[in-house]
Amino acid sequence: MGDVIAPATFDIPGIVGQLRDARHRWRTSQQRARDPGGRELPSRDAVAPIVQGLRGALFPMRLGPADLRQQSEDYYVGHTLDIALNALLAQVRLELRYAARHQSRATARHDGPEIDEAAIDARAHALVQAFAASLAPIRTLLDSDVQAAFHGDPAAGSVDEVLLCYPGVEAMIHHRLAHRLYELGVPLIARIVAEQAHGATGIDIHPGAQIGPAFFIDHGTGVVIGETAVIGERVRVYQAVTLGAKRFPADTDGHLHKGLARHPIVEDDVVIYAGATILGRVTLGRGSTIGGNVWLTRSVPPGSHISQASLQGESADHHSPTVATAA
Amino acid sequence: MGDVIAPATFDIPGIVGQLRDARHRWRTSQQRARDPGGRELPSRDAVAPIVQGLRGALFPMRLGPADLRQQSEDYYVGHTLDIALNALLAQVRLELRYAARHQSRATARHDGPEIDEAAIDARAHALVQAFAASLAPIRTLLDSDVQAAFHGDPAAGSVDEVLLCYPGVEAMIHHRLAHRLYELGVPLIARIVAEQAHGATGIDIHPGAQIGPAFFIDHGTGVVIGETAVIGERVRVYQAVTLGAKRFPADTDGHLHKGLARHPIVEDDVVIYAGATILGRVTLGRGSTIGGNVWLTRSVPPGSHISQASLQGESADHHSPTVATAA
Amino acid sequence: MGDVIAPATFDIPGIVGQLRDARHRWRTSQQRARDPGGRELPSRDAVAPIVQGLRGALFPMRLGPADLRQQSEDYYVGHTLDIALNALLAQVRLELRYAARHQSRATARHDGPEIDEAAIDARAHALVQAFAASLAPIRTLLDSDVQAAFHGDPAAGSVDEVLLCYPGVEAMIHHRLAHRLYELGVPLIARIVAEQAHGATGIDIHPGAQIGPAFFIDHGTGVVIGETAVIGERVRVYQAVTLGAKRFPADTDGHLHKGLARHPIVEDDVVIYAGATILGRVTLGRGSTIGGNVWLTRSVPPGSHISQASLQGESADHHSPTVATAA
Amino acid sequence: MGDVIAPATFDIPGIVGQLRDARHRWRTSQQRARDPGGRELPSRDAVAPIVQGLRGALFPMRLGPADLRQQSEDYYVGHTLDIALNALLAQVRLELRYAARHQSRATARHDGPEIDEAAIDARAHALVQAFAASLAPIRTLLDSDVQAAFHGDPAAGSVDEVLLCYPGVEAMIHHRLAHRLYELGVPLIARIVAEQAHGATGIDIHPGAQIGPAFFIDHGTGVVIGETAVIGERVRVYQAVTLGAKRFPADTDGHLHKGLARHPIVEDDVVIYAGATILGRVTLGRGSTIGGNVWLTRSVPPGSHISQASLQGESADHHSPTVATAA
Amino acid sequence: MGDVIAPATFDIPGIVGQLRDARHRWRTSQQRARDPGGRELPSRDAVAPIVQGLRGALFPMRLGPADLRQQSEDYYVGHTLDIALNALLAQVRLELRYAARHQSRATARHDGPEIDEAAIDARAHALVQAFAASLAPIRTLLDSDVQAAFHGDPAAGSVDEVLLCYPGVEAMIHHRLAHRLYELGVPLIARIVAEQAHGATGIDIHPGAQIGPAFFIDHGTGVVIGETAVIGERVRVYQAVTLGAKRFPADTDGHLHKGLARHPIVEDDVVIYAGATILGRVTLGRGSTIGGNVWLTRSVPPGSHISQASLQGESADHHSPTVATAA
Amino acid sequence: MGDVIAPATFDIPGIVGQLRDARHRWRTSQQRARDPGGRELPSRDAVAPIVQGLRGALFPMRLGPADLRQQSEDYYVGHTLDIALNALLAQVRLELRYAARHQSRATARHDGPEIDEAAIDARAHALVQAFAASLAPIRTLLDSDVQAAFHGDPAAGSVDEVLLCYPGVEAMIHHRLAHRLYELGVPLIARIVAEQAHGATGIDIHPGAQIGPAFFIDHGTGVVIGETAVIGERVRVYQAVTLGAKRFPADTDGHLHKGLARHPIVEDDVVIYAGATILGRVTLGRGSTIGGNVWLTRSVPPGSHISQASLQGESADHHSPTVATAA
């Protein structure tokens, strides 16, 4: 006698029903009407190839297909942009429509005006056109970032190595695209673009952050840069640096105030070493150096050299007042 | 005269032999019998699509296929569960069998009893059934996490954005699945599920950790939560927070004691800001706030506000005793 | 009247032209001749499957294909090596040729000697042969790392779990391969290999770092180990540990000195707990323990126990002088 | 001195220009306006997965995914139909819109009415609903075909083998779907479905052909069945049989009359052996047998036995008047 | 007011129900018990990669991976065989189990003996071992086919071209594998293998056909060779040749006799030109030539030259009695 | 007690050895030196994407990617050509080098001259340039074929349907590319291109055949057109038509004469109905019609109407002297 493996049986209908009930409770709690239609939001799977295409269009010989030749770059760039921009247009439409519906649901009477699809389409189109016009300036900004990385890291062998290997550069490619999308009014797509870099590099830059040219993040894991941060030119930042907010102000009924300026301003030529934490709407004056692991919640004047020691008023270790953390 | 590129030759047989010898030495050192058969362990490649399927079954319109329609959700959920649960069953069998063999090898005489395959199959089946029954409660817990993130982050535009973009939510989807698997007795599969989130988000939660509803991790990179940690309801945690163990007790012959409670207990409504490190089986009392970068190895009573300054007994900076680190 | 969605039109030729101009400005600024040919650099897409193959060849039953059987391991290993080594040879040729061209461009007169292709091919071949001969020793080193992780983590259930799940082990597989490539003279490929692990694990080890056997990194996110670090045997390191450099010496015209020894030496049996930062060419003496979050810029003798408290000369907390951070 | 392979250069811009000119000439000759937009026709790549899905929905345990279980068939069927029918709807819209534009271009004045998109959408929706309602009857028809094949071929081991292996059955699955689409008014999509079977099996059935239940094609390569053919119940046909048209009637200015009944009527229980050619609007009476390679351009009464010999008035071979060709 | 495209709604539950009813009627008509378990039959998707692997193992440098090197052939062959043979074993088990269940259902009383799984496993194992031992002889037979094609076609430039391009050779690779499987007792898998070649080449050889060495099929489309055909050495056949059966004998209650010898015997060195049809258990004597389009239902002695003309007793065209059809 | 499935063991080393011996015997019989290097022949897997690319470049809006827009056609065409032509160059180099080696092996003394790689590279480059210059004329020829199909088939609804659905058009796209490659001196690549169409459509056109504009093949399965066939303008051909050779002349030692003109010449405006077989270097005069299944081995004057009846001198069936076979 041999015995067969009995086919497993699970109570699929029962579990399906439980999950349906759970979804129903959630949708009810969120005041969502039952909607028979399809996906109403931009999707990560749709955004990923768009960013991939834009990266290739920006740096065809380094991030484009391996069998590309310089003499045919423009064909590749044109074809890739055509696909990527039209795909982006579809995602932008989804987000604008979603935002309009969300807003009308939040504010309007049940007999309020319908969403104006034609207006949304026109706005989406104009938005992507404006985004496309920004690509060349973004490339130029990114060139300055690559240059900054090459000059800032003694281990960098060439600008090509920087572009191929440095997670900080990868994060900045995403950020400069995401920031433009954020400015133009599609913060959700912008956030998806930013989170792809966060997942790949451990560098978490909110798309709202304003960052000047020649920005260099070394190593990068654990860096967090908040939504309203403003960063000048030629700034250098190491791993695990936080440019964050202090406790958020809340109104009397406990809702957070959204959108207030609550992150630091970092002026030109500042260097912030690994693990430093700068919190609140403070200003780091031009040319300052912030030492590793420093915890700072006040502004410092231009040319400051801040270290843990200096903060604690201790005189020990005077000869190396600004200890840097870089590998 | 033209010259061809000489085909490269490598001493493949030699290297193959050296690698075989190295494997042989390892297996001998591990007292492993030569076993002509196939893979005996769960595999990452097999677990990944299972988790992918479960995520889709939990949130069909957000994490399922892009062309899904709400009216057909149940079909998708049922089909996806059928595939995923049966695939999980196969992996569970592998782990239970591996554990049984491992154990019998460790303890038994060479003529000891054979592994009871029928019993393992029955246990695997019961285990997956229990897991399946937990899916709807897990969905409800995750809904509370999404809600918590939306309320806890001034930058969050909608609950949909939170579900799509927040790495903390992604980590919690994995954790709540992994924790249930851990409870049910397949810690290795649970760990594989957890490590997939760790790789993608930089958030490292051991599957053993017990976490209450409405848990929110912001930014997340560098968060570490240990195996025996216990976390209450509505807790909020920022990047680089560690809920860790102090030095592990070892017995007289130097072996670590495994399985002892050695990580913190965090009561309801606690907030822990970025970079804080809490070590050992201490308790953070209900409603406490732990400031950024704080290093804490003792319990604190409910309602405490702990900052670096307060720990050092310094009176400076009295007006902002709890400095938060959040972007 | 129904209205069709007007097809979107973007000024693709205009944007293509702007991007071409941006590339042109960059290439001019970098003194690059217009080169009609193809890619001249190793590529991430080409290196990834090579590393995948080498991982499988090193650990066929754990990291090779799921349907492999032990009795046929050697066939798999031989076939996989043949493909991987020849693919590596092609990438090595690209890097050596790129380096030669780069160098001749940097140093030579315009009428200088051509690149010697035959010499490059011969060197590439010898290099890959030497690399291949290192694979078995690398396997043995990695076995010691796996063993160290199993003994060092109370949560580890078996050596198999360690190999399947621990990001620290994944990072070390990449590092030991990358380090050998770095030694042999292809630092760019080495860096690509290292960055793949960095992206997947958050552990950033420069390929130049010298690391002895039985090295264990737990959790790992945020670990940074610099180019000239030297690490002994049986060293253990936790998440967010930095072995970094202090401020780089620059020469009189502001160029960084590259290649100087500027990172710590860590002797045998040292343990460094989470978040500790060790900077500069200091030595951590044999058997020392460095506590969590410690900031250290000086050498310590063998057997030292360094904690935040001890550094601040405080006597509190004497009974647990070395607080560990581990989950 | 070694020599590099000179990168190949082709005059891509020149060839692109020539191809553009060729396209321009064609479009001018076809009176096509320049249209900046996208694809206006159904596509083979889009139709293929739809048919794949419908095949799975019709025969889930045989043509659906390998890991399906009978207890969960309905979930698979429902999910697959949802995806396939909505994808079909998009293709149907394309064809209806294309047909409307084509027609208005052919007939209308330049200032004629616009295409009524809303009407097209409504018609597309109704069409796919009608198609969906036909799926169960089509399954029942196909069951009769499978049964017929099993009874008609001495080499067939089981109905399962027939469904898995017989190209005649594969062709009929496609035909019965394609014929329904043809009836409903999307002949182009119908043709794409038919041609996929033609390419895979060598059996070329025009979607317009009307075929009764229990139809069996053995071997099948080279079978051609024309647009207006009418086939009764329980008919059997072997490889290379043609049910074709005679010379097409043309009007006085040489244009072919399209759509006239011009192919044979085959009544119930007829058998047609390999290589037989039946041409024109003739009728093969109920229960007749047509021998291999017979060339027939006239009707035959019920119960006829036609062979090459009988056609040539020869009395030889009397004992086996109807020679069958079947392997 | 702009209008959104209304999401399409189909009555998915209704159609799912209708399809379930249709399946239920079929299963009832086939006396199939409701079986909650999974797939019980070999699958085309599973067999395809097995054949792909076997083709590569037989001709590694021509049909194996493009980056293979001769010096490493054996590794590739060994690894590929290991995967393919074990995958084949799984399919063989499915077919043997299916056959056993089918048979017991057909013959036995309801309380009959269970299927003996252990015996099936043993038989499957022995079967695949026997198959594996046939691979080298099959390779040698195929070499003779390649050689025959090269010598038989004036358009053939080299044996390599023949192996790469000739559909007749592709069909024979499949047939020689399929025939061995058929002999060993898995006719369904054999048929799947044969039908893959049929679909790709239009050449339909039943796996049961016995074919000697140095067999050459030119062009091939439309060739049909029946189950009990026997073909000698050095036979040559052109497109659309049929070696078929005459009308099948049926027993008194109308069931076909299965398995009787009913197809031609073709002796050594026979040539059969395009479109010729040979029917029934006749013998074509050694060295005979059968002209194009000839219809033959009787045996011919060795050395015969049969043409359409000679069959019709006409004296015209005497000077080219055997007209060949070959391109 | 349950029993485990014993892992299957096959004698892989034994079978590998047998296959190695079989390969060795073959290589010895073919006088092939043992060659440690890689693939020396063009490959089907490499040619397929090249043809795919060329099809897209010829008909971007119909056979290119689904998301292409007319305004960006040129970018797509340019990028696709760049990739395809350079990939073709690599394959052409392989074939030319293979041919040179083959030839030198066949003719030369062992100490004969080496292969001149530089000359081969130059020839390959010139060849692909000439091929590229032919693409626009080929597009124009194919436009005439599409037009001919549309006018020749009463079932064709539009030229677009013809391009999307007609296997005859697919075969001609491949043929016109393959023929140009054949003319330019790479017959093996040409054959691979042709066989891809043969496999997909059942239409077997030798790349050597010369075919004028506006050629239309309806249905197509089983069509065979030989290497030296010459076909004029506006010719129409139906399924299973053969333009073949008679018995090949052989020289005194039995070797076939290769390359002689041995297939029919078909003048302008000829129609050949299904199943007709025309053999040998005969001429079908301008405007002739050849009836279905006709067997013809002699030339016919312009304006002939040939049917089976007319060939047999029979007066029956006078009213339909030229019976067409077309569906």
Side-chain angles (χ1 to χ4, degrees), chain D residues 38 99 101 130 133 150 205 267 271:
Chain D
R101 204 178 315 171
F150 177 60
I205 310 179
E267 294 185 350
V271 181

Side-chain angles (χ1 to χ4, degrees), chain F residues 174-251:
Chain F
H174 281 248
H175 174 69
R176 296 207 183 276
L177 295 171
H179 179 61
R180 188 66 184 124
L181 292 166
Y182 176 93
E183 283 182 329
L184 289 167
V186 279
L188 183 49
I189 297 173
R191 185 71 185 260
I192 291 173
V193 173
E195 281 302 327
Q196 286 174 349
H198 185 192
T201 66
I203 298 172
D204 180 355
I205 311 179
H206 194 285
Q210 301 168 49
I211 304 182
F215 184 60
F216 173 39
I217 305 169
D218 203 4
H219 306 299
T221 309
V223 163
V224 177
I225 299 177
E227 184 176 15
T228 64
V230 180
I231 297 177
E233 306 191 4
R234 292 171 304 282
V235 169
R236 208 159 80 228
V237 154
Y238 290 86
Q239 70 268 25
V241 160
T242 295
L243 302 179
K246 292 216 267 190
R247 183 178 284 278
F248 320 126
D251 59 25

Side-chain angles (χ1 to χ4, degrees), chain C residues 19-84:
Chain C
L19 284 168
R20 180 178 49 234
D21 293 346
R23 291 198 305 272
H24 188 66
R25 280 193 300 275
W26 167 257
R27 284 168 186 161
T28 303
S29 79
Q30 300 288 316
Q31 280 116 23
R32 305 222 161 168
R34 185 149 181 89
D35 172 0
R39 185 180 287 244
E40 56 180 11
L41 274 172
S43 95
R44 297 201 288 200
D45 290 347
V47 170
I50 294 171
V51 176
Q52 188 68 15
L54 293 172
R55 288 161 50 110
L58 287 169
F59 297 96
M61 293 304 294
R62 293 289 170 261
L63 305 181
D67 49 1
L68 192 64
R69 252 152 295 272
Q70 219 185 85
Q71 66 167 6
S72 297
E73 278 178 321
D74 280 357
Y75 291 117
Y76 165 73
V77 170
H79 175 53
T80 302
L81 281 179
D82 183 49
I83 301 300

